């Protein structure tokens, strides 16, 4: 478990997590990039934000 | 422990929803459901989702003696029949506006006065997120209005954490489904006229302003629009705080208020299709989705709140409050999960 | 007893519905949900009703060893991956059409052939009302198609009771919601194009004719129309029996077939708003509503059948069959009640 | 040449549609529109699309003397008021069922008899595709029913070309919008109950069977379902010809019947999203879309027909017939084009 | 006088709407309609309401020389192709945002910059209610955004009459239909996901704020919600004037601004079902409905504005502006009347 | 103008039509391939039928 950079909630991790993978925060939904593992470091991955159409 | 229960007004929309909840609740035994127009007919006659329930509507004139009575009647009925309701049951939960407001003056200002003001003080406003302590052991409970509930849940963290203290400008723009009008809608509620609308049915002067003022201490500018769905109320609150706030602050405030709340989910931003609160995500459930977005330009917080008006906005809130009042685990009977995909429930 | 479970294709509509059912099922423990496009993301990213579930999508290439695997993948995937599925789980339930039909010839006639015909015989068709006995202990189950399920449930009593023996004229006119197309719909599935339609998307030559022929022995004239709802399939079967029948006979036949069935309700005639089967009455539930009307002039029976395609028409049917296969009380996890009022779920 | 016109029942749905058409028609001058409930109010009070029209509803008791009177009143009114209507106008066009059927026996069989049977023979059925010649110069016109119109237009080429001669099995499964019920719908027509339905409201014994029998000579098996749209009627006709037909034959038959018809479009197969007739493609227009598909297996022709019940199914048909009767170019005032994209008009 | 016309992007939603308008316009002759994906196909392939038009899509790479070219392409296309467009036609009307804003800085702030800023000054913003004089004889016209148009039309009388001068708090809460997203919507635009929503898709930071700022001089707090309709944009503007205003003042201001405007209707209060502006009342038309309500408590004006985003919000506005530019009577080709009843067009 | 192979209606052509191009019949909507020009010969192009989803 690490804290979400966006909202501060716990972000659930999983086994065999690898650097470079993208996961989302279950609370605020933000897309996070795994920077390092052991200990896990996350950063937001804003460029992944899909456009929603308008 | 099992409590016997009566639903008055069971033929209507929130009355039917109460029946749905009570027949699935392990601690309640629905023994009476009243309807004048469908007396002696089965519950399934009015509510196709209750076809398997072996109970017939009876007259509201003959109230059985029960542990708990839920009244889901139009404005004015509880006011005049409250004595009979209290005679018939130890705990009375009223879904109408008749005992929601804490003082007669509200009824003078927003309604046509009150015929039984002496009981106003004894009624506890049902919203557990606001009133959990007072609800414990309460014998007389008044469930909130659906638009007010959506708004109060959205703004409560800002009030609790001092972002709002009553002087700020707050605009609340609500969108609601057609079930809010009850089962007896007139011409404007007919399918051809009501389909596809964005209809400003109360652009100004909506009565729910009274509740928000009474329970949050905020005088909000309130407008309600009918949109094309059946269930659901969605409040967009445009808030202009005196001091700038950061997203991190807001997350802390909202998580602080709601982290332990069993029926409030924070939903804000992120990816995928469902990024913010949406009524269809909570339809059929007792959950509220609450989120926010920050607009740096205008120093505005946009708070988003979505509930099912039949559930968190009335019948679910009523059962939730009754659970607390009676000492039952508060989630009991209210853990229905929403659907995905789902259209316009 | 608790069974570990995997859902392959969990990102899709029926896969998400399976997850909804399994996380609420006391005898299943959902340990894996696969998605290629949303790997590592939470289930709530795709399915807002699963935001509270602490599980992330994983790749379908790494299947955990579990008790039961549900495959909710497009046509063709199970055919090619069935060995991996069976290696990973003792019991495999497939929701696609890949193993529904009992002989290769059906796939030659209605599809583009079959790449694994040797396993067709081992798959048990999931519809419990038809196949309850064979399902007990089954290790390989193929859930029915939604339109076929609605039709088969409507006509089964007429076949069982000899009103239909295969030579009569039967026209089946089906109306379905947009979730039937799955999560990956193209231009025709976009909201502006798909809203408000009565669109004959398969006026003739629908593949579900194969299933009806295989399991009821009837060659029906079949047409499917898309209408404006998300969940739901409603079949109107126009049946011309050789011998005149009476309503009393029909009631006896239908009650004979379905009286003991936990998920079939007979709904025919009577008063109120909901007199016949309607998809919105069963939305979100595993129930089928079945009814009929008799047209003396044309000596026609009009059979009406309504299901939720996501539930009785796929994921619910799959869990129902798995319950039976594993010896769990068959209603377990499938007792969700419908809503009233409700719009277009 | 300009004809003065009155609409009786102008407050209702088809009456409002007549007003919309007449105020845009160069050869009509709408001088009177009656409503009992909205007497003295502007037309815009009931019909927001007529806000610019400077005319107020007047009482149907005081009918002005005009050239043409359109009656858009519930069943039974024209029967009893026909003398007054004919006194007030040279040409009377009735939109109700009161004078549609050519013989009293139909009213005995399908309705509750007729109070003015002596006039039945003088009324001309309005559908120009069937009756253009008789309409010329007619002084009394009875517009067809919307479901019957959709069906007759779909099947007419098969009758005209001898594919159907009355002994074949024909199943007609109709889907209609909520405007068909008129402006005064009850509980079943309320938005919460009527939204999202596939509701078999007349599975058997629909009165429009009479019209189809009277004008096509076919006894069809007829069922009508309410679906979630406001305007539109879509008929799917399942036809089992005695002799096999080819698609080429069918195209020849349909083109032969309709090539010169200004308000019928053939739509069948091809690519893109809109491959078959769809009510939303013709909403707001006087056009009918007609198409078919052939099912070789069951030797069935599936005929598809879509109209706007307010237009081709009532008010548009009425104006079309009046144009012909009065010698006006028949397309005048009826060339509104449909919309794309469009939701559920 | 007749002008030849090309529509670039004719396969899309606003491009199709332009074609609909131009083929019905007596002063335009549609000679070219481009589509890359449907080259050589008939217009009816994409737009079922244009089946009778004898024209095929051609490639945008070969532009014919015409009098007027309408570009209905995604953001960025006109910016890069403007030279080709101006070479091909004397008058160019662009529906995208590419030349709407009067200065490069807006594109730096709200978009990703501009590749052709030198032409910004020559483009005339199309809204006639704002810019009629400048439009006369204009050779380069940029149609407004739909949400901005709804907002500007609602607030213009308050700006013109000094009720707003730029310092007041204004919250604009917009509700829009799905056609606003264009024909190429992704997963969020699919029918199952998009149906029944109240989805805050741009709670803060919407690009149309730039237009409102540029043309009204107001920095509004702007939020947009997707609701379940296809056509329509409805803006609710919550305005807090510095000085109290009366309803009589407001009526005077609004009538002063709009009394002579052919496409603006004032709708506020009164009786019946349709008391305020509603998008479904203006669907398919070039009209705007504008109204207001006054909230004495909070000293708030609630301005309501409803348009059809395909018409007044894009294609209709474009043709209206072209009429003015070319000296054609400005109402020509734009007098389509709305429907009643109508669902969710 | 040539006759549609599917429905027999006139199919409108256009200048500079080339062999191999695909066009649709405006009456029945069928997709047609241009086999030859001068005179124009058409054939149905059924493989182009897009799937509609189900
Ligand atoms: N709908 C919502 O979303 C919502 C949300 C929050 C609060 N509420 C409040 O809940 C209450 C019920 O609303 P609703 O929407 O359920 O209304 P509804 O559908 O109109 O139902 C009310 C029912 O009360 C019965 N009734 C009417 N007068 C009565 C009387 N004098 N004595 C006994 N029964 C009577 C009627 O049935 P019979 O005529 O057959 O007896 C009717 O079906 C209202 O006060 C409303 O403000 C509703
Ligand atoms: N929808 C219904 O009403 C219904 C009813 C009865 C039966 N069915 C059947 O159920 C099956 C699923 O239907 P649906 O509507 O749920 O479809 P869907 O929404 O399109 O979902 C299918 C999912 O399968 C995944 N997938 C695709 N190819 C895959 C592969 N090669 N390996 C692993 N996963 C793959 C996709 O997710 P990723 O790309 O993220 O992996 C996709 O989300 C179909 O066979 C359908 O015929 C559907
Ligand atoms: N709706 C359709 O799609 C459709 C299609 C084909 C045919 N039709 C036929 O057209 C007729 C009208 O249908 P509708 O749907 O327009 O009905 P509607 O919306 O109910 O309108 C009927 C109108 O008639 C007026 N009216 C009732 N009784 C009257 C009387 N005794 N004398 C004078 N006016 C009276 C009413 O207005 P006031 O009470 O204000 O006077 C009412 O608004 C019916 O006969 C129907 O069967 C309808
Ligand atoms: N929808 C609205 O309500 C609305 C309102 C106001 C303004 N607008 C603006 O109007 C414009 C069009 O919007 P829309 O909703 O009509 O979009 P749309 O439905 O997506 O249509 C755009 C069309 O442009 C064509 N196209 C794309 N790229 C092109 C290129 N490089 N060259 C030539 N053609 C190209 C595409 O057809 P092919 O790929 O077949 O060529 C496509 O069908 C946008 O700029 C939008 O912001 C839209
Ligand atoms: Zn987070
Ligand atoms: Zn053709």
């Amino acid at each position: 478990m690490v804290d979400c950079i966006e909202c501060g909630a716990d972000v659930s991790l999983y086994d065999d997590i690898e650097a470079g993978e993208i996961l989302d925060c279950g609370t605020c939904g933000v897309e996070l990039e795994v920077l390092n593992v052991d200990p896990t470091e996350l950063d937001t991955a804003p460029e992944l934000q899909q456009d929603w159409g308008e | 422990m099992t409590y016997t229960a009566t639903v008055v007004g069971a033929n209507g929309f929130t009355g039917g929803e109460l029946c749905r909840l009570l027949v699935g609740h392990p601690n309640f035994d629905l023994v009476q459901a009243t309807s004048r127009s469908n007396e002696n007919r089965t519950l399934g006659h009015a509510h196709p989702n209750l076809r398997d329930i072996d109970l017939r509507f009876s007259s509201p004139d003959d109230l059985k003696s029960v542990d708990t009575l839920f009244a889901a009647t139009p404005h004015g009925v509880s006011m005049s029949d409250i004595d009979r309701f209290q005679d018939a049951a130890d705990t009375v939960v009223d879904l109408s506006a008749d005992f929601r407001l804490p003082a007669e003056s509200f009824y003078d200002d927003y309604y046509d006065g009150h015929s039984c003001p002496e009981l106003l003080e004894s009624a506890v406003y049902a919203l557990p997120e606001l009133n959990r302590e007072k609800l414990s052991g309460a014998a007389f409970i008044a469930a909130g209005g659906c638009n007010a509930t959506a708004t109060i849940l959205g703004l409560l963290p800002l009030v609790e954490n001092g972002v709002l203290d009553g002087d700020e400008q707050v605009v609340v723009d609500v969108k609601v489904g057609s079930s809010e009008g009850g089962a007896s809608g007139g011409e404007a509620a007919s399918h051809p006229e009501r389909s596809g609308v964005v209809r400003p049915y109360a652009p100004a002067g909506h009565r729910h302003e009274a509740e928000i003022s009474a329970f949050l201490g905020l005088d909000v500018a309130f407008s309600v629009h009918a949109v094309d769905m059946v269930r659901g109320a969605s409040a967009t609150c445009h808030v202009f705080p005196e001091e700038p706030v950061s997203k991190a602050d807001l997350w802390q405030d909202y998580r602080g208020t709601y982290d332990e709340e069993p029926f409030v989910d924070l939903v804000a931003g992120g990816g995928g299709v469902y990024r913010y609160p949406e009524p269809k995500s909570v339809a059929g459930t007792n959950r509220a989705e609450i989120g926010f977005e920050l607009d740096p330009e205008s120093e505005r917080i946009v708070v988003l709140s979505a509930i099912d008006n039949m559930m968190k906005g009335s019948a679910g809130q009523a059962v939730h409050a009754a659970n607390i009042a009676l000492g039952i685990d508060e989630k009991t009977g209210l853990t229905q999960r929403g659907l995905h995909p789902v259209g316009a429930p």
Side-chain angles (χ1 to χ4, degrees), chain A, chain B:
Chain A
M1 287 281 186
V2 290
D3 284 356
C4 173
I5 287 166
E6 173 78 11
C7 74
D10 287 339
V11 177
S12 72
L13 301 176
Y14 45 95
D15 305 340
D16 63 15
I17 192 165
E18 284 174 36
E21 288 185 334
I22 303 291
L23 64 166
D24 63 337
C25 167
T27 300
C28 71
V30 75
E31 303 274 349
L32 299 161
E33 185 181 345
V34 181
L35 292 186
N36 294 304
V37 292
D38 223 6
T40 309
E41 254 190 279
L42 303 175
D43 196 3
T44 47
E47 71 284 1
L48 279 186
Q49 300 294 64
Q50 299 139 275
D51 203 23
W52 236 10
E54 185 175 318
Chain B
M1 169 101 202
T2 301
Y3 300 87
T4 53
T6 288
V7 173
V8 179
N11 189 48
F13 284 172
T14 59
E17 190 78 341
L18 283 166
C19 293
R20 174 174 83 99
L21 294 174
L22 295 174
V23 299
H25 195 300
N27 301 106
F28 283 107
D29 183 13
L30 179 65
V31 297
Q32 186 176 24
T34 83
S35 166
R36 300 164 310 170
S37 55
N38 275 325
E39 206 182 323
N40 297 330
R41 293 208 176 96
T42 56
L43 266 61
H45 182 92
H47 307 297
N49 58 336
L50 301 178
R51 284 208 178 95
D52 58 321
I53 303 303
D54 190 16
L55 186 67
R56 290 178 182 277
F57 291 112
S58 60
S59 163
D61 298 337
D62 298 311
L63 292 177
K64 294 193 183 177
S65 178
V66 292
D67 298 315
T68 313
L69 180 148
F70 295 87
T73 44
H75 178 56
V77 176
S78 294
M79 251 186 226
S80 80
D81 290 5
I82 183 65
D83 290 348
R84 294 177 52 236
F85 295 169
Q86 294 193 327
D87 283 353
D90 297 332
T91 307
V92 170
V93 186
D94 185 29
L95 274 68
S96 81
D98 288 10
F99 292 96
R100 264 179 218 161
L101 297 166
E104 190 175 4
S105 58
F106 288 105
Y107 291 92
D108 293 337
D109 291 355
Y110 287 90
Y111 295 83
D112 314 309
H114 203 288
S115 66
C116 185
E118 61 278 13
L119 284 186
L120 285 175
E121 222 171 294
S122 65
V124 182
Y125 190 67
L127 200 64
E129 289 79 5
L130 203 71
N131 247 358
R132 187 173 276 104
E133 315 241 298
K134 288 197 201 139
L135 284 167
S136 172
F140 187 18
I141 296 170
C146 49
N147 300 326
T149 295
T151 305
I152 291 172
L153 288 173
L155 297 177
L156 181 61
L158 300 180
V159 173
E160 274 196 353
N161 292 284
V163 178
L164 286 178
D165 68 11
D167 298 327
E168 300 81 2
Q169 186 67 2
V170 180
V171 171
V172 181
D173 193 293
V174 177
K175 295 89 184 164
V176 299
S178 59
S179 64
E180 203 178 89
S184 47
E187 198 189 349
S190 79
H191 184 269
E193 304 296 17
R194 182 65 175 70
S195 290
V197 297
V198 177
R199 177 172 296 164
Y201 83 80
H206 192 284
R207 291 167 162 184
H208 284 189
E209 287 181 5
E211 250 170 285
I212 299 163
S213 170
F215 296 106
L216 281 189
L218 300 178
D219 288 324
V220 302
F222 201 75
S223 296
V224 183
H225 303 77
V227 298
D228 196 349
M229 59 187 179
V230 171
R231 286 174 177 246
S234 169
T236 303
C237 309
H238 307 265
V239 174
F240 299 88
E242 306 228 317
E243 307 282 308
V245 289
S246 71
K247 260 196 153 178
D249 290 344
L250 288 173
W251 272 111
Q252 195 166 347
D253 293 346
Y254 276 83
R255 292 190 50 227
T257 300
Y258 289 136
D259 246 8
E260 306 291 306
E261 281 298 338
F263 292 113
V264 181
D265 291 328
L266 297 182
V267 177
V273 172
Y274 295 85
R275 303 179 182 198
Y276 295 105
E278 288 200 27
K280 74 173 188 166
S281 294
V282 297
T285 83
N286 196 45
R287 310 187 81 79
E289 288 189 348
I290 308 291
F292 53 83
E293 199 51 79
L294 198 57
D295 181 2
E297 294 302 320
S298 59
E299 308 201 315
R300 171 180 56 139
I301 310 167
V302 182
V303 180
L304 304 154
S305 170
I307 60 169
D308 181 338
N309 58 306
M310 296 276 104
M311 289 289 291
K312 188 73 184 169
S314 55
Q317 181 180 148
V319 170
H320 189 185
N323 282 345
I324 296 173
L326 298 168
I328 301 167
D329 177 329
E330 64 177 290
K331 288 185 287 187
T332 312
L334 295 170
T335 54
Q336 299 82 0
R337 187 177 285 283
L339 299 175
H340 179 250
V342 69

